[in-house]
């Protein structure tokens, strides 16, 4: 690898076609900003220096770049006068900081999320081996409209890059395009930048003019064509953003399948760039694995599940679930229709069942919350079982409070735990209890009181209704049966 590589990333343009208050390069694909992908590819080449040129909305872009690459330099281009002017701004900042620059300088754009480090590295290696003043990362496009064309002479040598608006009809037929990524000998670049003019259709300073400047000085220029042109494609509007996002997803899903993950339906499976999957994971249709989600060996996720920043243990099963910042233990089961909010930690072999919502809830090994419950701000001990329809009432209208359920406790259906409250190890509760006071270990807590039947209530309090009529008919029927019983002769 080159010992002295500088990469300049251009990100000063407005990106007006996004029609967004968010700067273009900050729009995300695969769970990362577009410039985040570019910086990751750039970092993979082990550069000595990274300079990002910012302009439009630099108060958004600057800090974001600093977060991604704390060692990078930011060059501010107040007015966007063209790619040549942008690179000149970067080089001025560089020279002011580091003194004269040597080695290789690569220019890349901040909006090409599919760019891979390996491609950049191969391009730089080829540029240095050929000892050129300028190398162009080029590509063949069926529809080259809008791109700068790589013009070659009859020997096939590169002589110029001509922009669409400045091209002759013949030049517009050329399908070899300038991807925008260029490599320079640093000494040549410093020399050439002040010589770029703006006498062209757009009145801009074109970086691409350096090709002709090098040729005129008798220096070598050349192009290195990339087969996978999509790596250099940028998103200018939201339609292209979605296209690049889908292509990135296709690549990520393919990579995981090759690594031993079963994906039943790649078209409806979305996996972010930073997700990590173990071998023999199975992903069922309609599943999105987002952010920093990790899934362990043999786990089955889906169908129709969204997990963001979650950890799924080996052998776990997660069906039709929405989870965020949750940890699911090994061989645990979740779903269908579960909602795991931040701070949920389900132990190994535990269960969060249908229509259960959890938040800031630590559920121990083998503990179960199987049906129709809300568990918020709670700790449930290992092996405990929470009855159907239980609510952990954590909020008193002012503050949130905590509930603790002991190990192997068995709480009955339709309980309300009014926090702060604690149920001891091995304790139990009766159906329909409202637990407001602590339950000691081993105790059975009942709160609903003995049942009272107010006989004839429906007929008195709901006269003339279907309810009263049904009760009257049932009572009449059982009275008639009693009479028959009484009339029957006794045979002893
Ligand atoms: C440029 C190239 C063209 C190439 C195409 C590939 C030039 C003159 N033309 O054209 O040959 O085929 O990219 O996409 O270089 N930028 C700045 N400051 C500026 C101007 C641009 O930071 O003053 C940034 C933009 O934000 C963008 C990139 O540079 O990320 C390219 O600029 P753009 O104006 O889109 O160039 P194109 O006309 O597409
Ligand atoms: Ca462009």
């Amino acid at each position: 690898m080159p010992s002295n590589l500088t990469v300049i990333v251009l990100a000063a343009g407005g990106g007006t076609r996004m029609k967004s208050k968010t700067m273009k390069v900050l729009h995300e694909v695969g769970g990362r900003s577009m410039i985040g992908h570019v910086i990751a590819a750039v970092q993979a080449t082990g550069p000595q220096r990274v300079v990002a040129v910012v302009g439009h909305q630099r108060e958004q872009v600057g800090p974001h770049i600093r977060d991604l690459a704390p060692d990078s330099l930011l060059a501010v281009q107040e007015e966007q006068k063209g790619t040549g002017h942008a690179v000149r701004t970067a080089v001025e900042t560089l020279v002011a900081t580091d003194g004269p620059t040597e080695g290789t300088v690569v220019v890349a754009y901040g909006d090409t999320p599919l760019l891979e480090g390996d491609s950049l590295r191969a391009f730089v290696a080829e540029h240095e081996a050929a000892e050129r003043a300028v190398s162009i990362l080029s590509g063949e496009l069926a529809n080259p409209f809008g791109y700068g064309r790589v013009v070659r002479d009859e020997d096939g040598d590169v002589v110029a890059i001509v922009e669409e608006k400045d091209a002759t009809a013949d030049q517009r037929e050329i399908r070899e395009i300038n991807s925008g990524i260029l490599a320079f000998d640093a000494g040549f670049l410093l020399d050439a930048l002040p010589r770029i003019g703006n006498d062209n259709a757009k009145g801009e300073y074109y970086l691409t003019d350096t090709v002709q400047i090098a040729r005129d000085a008798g220096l070598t220029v050349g192009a290195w064509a990339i087969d996978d042109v999509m790596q250099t494609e940028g998103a200018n509007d939201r339609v292209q953003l979605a296209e690049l996002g889908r292509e990135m997803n296709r690549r990520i899903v393919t990579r995981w399948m090759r690594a031993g993950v079963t994906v039943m339906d790649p078209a409806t499976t979305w996996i972010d760039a930073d997700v990590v999957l173990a071998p023999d994971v199975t992903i069922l249709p309609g599943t999105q694995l987002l952010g920093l989600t990790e899934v362990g060996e043999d786990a089955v996720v889906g169908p129709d599940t969204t997990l963001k920043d979650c950890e799924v243990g080996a052998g776990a099963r997660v069906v039709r679930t929405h989870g965020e910042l949750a940890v699911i233990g090994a061989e645990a089961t979740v779903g269908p229709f579960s909602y795991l909010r931040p701070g949920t930690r389900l132990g190994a072999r535990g269960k969060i069942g249908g229509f259960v919502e959890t938040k800031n809830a630590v559920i121990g090994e083998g503990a179960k919350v199987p049906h129709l419950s809300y568990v918020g701000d709670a700790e449930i001990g290992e092996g405990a079982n929470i009855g159907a329809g239980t609510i952990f009432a954590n909020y008193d209208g002012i503050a949130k409070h905590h509930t603790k359920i002991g190990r192997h406790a068995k709480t009955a259906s339709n309980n309300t735990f009014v926090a702060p409250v604690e149920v001891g190890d091995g304790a139990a509760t009766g159906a329909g209890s409202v637990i407001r006071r602590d339950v000691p270990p081993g105790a059975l807590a009942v709160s609903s009181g003995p049942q009272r039947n107010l006989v004839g209530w429906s007929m008195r309090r709901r006269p003339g209704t279907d309810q009263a009529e049904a009760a009257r008919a049932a009572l009449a029927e059982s009275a008639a049966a009693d009479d028959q019983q009484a009339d029957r002769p006794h045979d002893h």
Side-chain angles (χ1 to χ4, degrees):
M1 259 303 42
S3 55
N4 202 353
L5 174 65
T6 300
V7 181
I8 297 171
V9 180
L10 303 189
T16 47
R17 278 181 284 165
M18 294 300 278
K19 304 217 166 97
S20 177
K21 61 185 169 303
T22 303
M23 172 69 179
K24 173 166 87 169
V25 296
L26 298 185
H27 280 262
E28 290 191 357
V29 292
R32 264 193 220 158
S33 66
M34 290 201 277
I35 197 162
H37 288 286
V38 172
I39 297 235
V42 165
Q43 302 283 41
T45 65
Q48 211 71 13
R49 297 161 219 83
V50 176
V51 191
V53 180
V54 295
H56 271 274
Q57 287 161 286
R58 61 175 182 268
E59 63 295 336
Q60 277 182 13
V61 191
H64 182 72
I65 293 170
R66 271 286 156 72
D67 280 353
L68 297 167
D71 294 337
S72 60
L73 292 174
L74 294 182
V76 176
Q77 189 192 20
E78 295 286 353
E79 239 184 299
Q80 283 71 58
K81 298 186 197 163
T83 50
H85 180 258
V87 169
R88 194 170 171 180
T89 308
V91 166
E92 278 164 9
T93 301
L94 204 60
V95 170
T97 316
D98 276 10
T101 298
E102 295 179 341
T104 298
V105 178
V106 166
V107 175
Y109 297 168
D111 67 347
T112 57
L114 293 173
L115 183 63
E116 288 173 23
D118 285 351
S119 308
L120 265 187
R121 207 179 299 150
F123 173 56
V124 171
E126 203 265 351
H127 162 80
E128 291 182 347
E131 298 185 345
R132 296 195 197 102
V134 191
S135 295
I136 305 158
L137 184 57
S138 70
E140 288 267 340
L141 285 183
N143 175 14
F145 180 81
Y147 286 88
R149 309 296 206 285
V150 177
V151 182
R152 294 173 182 268
D153 63 17
E154 47 297 345
D155 299 332
D157 293 333
V158 175
V159 294
I161 297 173
V162 180
E163 296 304 302
E164 176 81 34
K165 285 193 172 145
D166 302 296
T168 63
D170 279 353
Q171 288 169 336
R172 289 199 180 115
E173 296 299 310
I174 299 171
R175 285 172 42 189
E176 187 182 6
I177 58 98
N178 166 30
S179 71
I181 299 174
L182 301 173
F184 298 93
D185 170 71
F188 164 73
L189 182 66
L190 261 66
D191 196 47
L193 284 172
R195 295 158 61 185
I196 297 175
N198 65 351
D199 182 17
N200 53 51
K202 279 171 132 184
E204 287 186 357
Y205 295 87
Y206 290 165
L207 181 62
T208 46
D209 284 359
T210 51
V211 172
Q212 202 128 26
I213 293 172
R215 284 283 302 196
D216 292 348
L219 300 168
T220 29
V221 301
W224 185 81
I226 186 168
D227 290 334
D228 184 13
V229 211
M230 279 201 97
Q231 284 193 36
T232 66
E233 280 183 18
N236 293 309
D237 60 27
R238 308 220 194 194
V239 175
Q240 291 171 345
L241 184 73
E243 282 165 4
L244 291 181
R246 191 176 47 193
E247 176 59 20
M248 172 164 299
N249 188 59
R250 198 187 63 73
R251 292 173 182 217
I252 293 171
V253 171
T254 303
R255 171 163 61 85
W256 285 118
M257 291 192 293
R258 299 226 189 278
V261 170
T262 295
V263 178
M264 189 187 271
D265 183 14
T268 62
T269 298
W270 289 82
I271 303 176
D272 274 354
D274 294 316
V275 167
V276 178
L277 307 176
D280 284 320
V281 162
T282 298
I283 303 173
L284 299 178
T287 293
Q288 294 139 287
L289 302 177
L290 309 178
L292 299 173
T293 294
E294 286 186 30
V295 183
E297 201 166 333
D298 296 323
V300 182
V301 181
D304 302 329
T305 291
T306 301
L307 299 178
K308 181 161 193 232
D309 301 326
C310 288
E311 205 180 303
V312 179
R317 182 82 183 83
V318 185
V319 186
R320 287 184 211 281
T321 291
H322 185 97
E324 227 169 292
L325 281 166
V327 178
I328 296 163
E331 286 167 55
T333 63
V334 177
F337 308 109
S338 306
Y339 179 24
L340 276 47
R341 291 166 53 198
T344 297
R345 298 181 75 92
L346 176 62
R349 293 174 306 285
K351 181 183 174 81
I352 292 174
F355 303 100
V356 172
E357 175 179 340
T358 59
K359 183 214 76 173
N360 192 20
V362 179
I363 301 170
E365 276 188 30
K368 296 189 162 102
V369 188
H371 328 276
L372 302 155
S373 295
Y374 171 63
V375 183
D377 300 308
E379 182 185 334
I380 297 174
E382 64 171 284
N385 191 85
I386 304 301
T390 293
I391 304 299
F392 285 62
N394 56 332
Y395 185 47
D396 60 12
I398 299 165
K400 303 282 171 70
H401 300 282
H402 194 260
T403 298
K404 187 174 177 196
I405 307 289
R407 298 168 51 240
H408 300 286
K410 301 278 181 278
T411 68
S413 295
N414 194 30
N415 278 193
T416 302
F417 294 108
V418 183
V421 75
E422 192 171 330
V423 174
D425 291 352
T429 63
S433 295
V434 178
I435 304 296
R436 300 172 190 276
R437 290 185 292 123
D438 290 354
V439 180
L444 168 66
V446 288
S447 76
S448 48
Q451 179 173 333
R452 287 194 300 150
N453 293 338
L454 304 182
V455 174
W457 181 88
S458 296
M459 280 82 83
R460 287 200 307 280
R461 294 304 186 93
R462 299 287 182 269
T465 62
D466 289 348
Q467 183 187 8
E469 176 50 31
R472 195 203 54 72
L475 288 168
E477 204 175 301
S478 71
D482 285 353
D483 285 352
Q484 258 179 6
Q485 199 84 31
D487 291 349
R488 199 177 293 154
H490 295 260
D491 48 29
H492 53 78

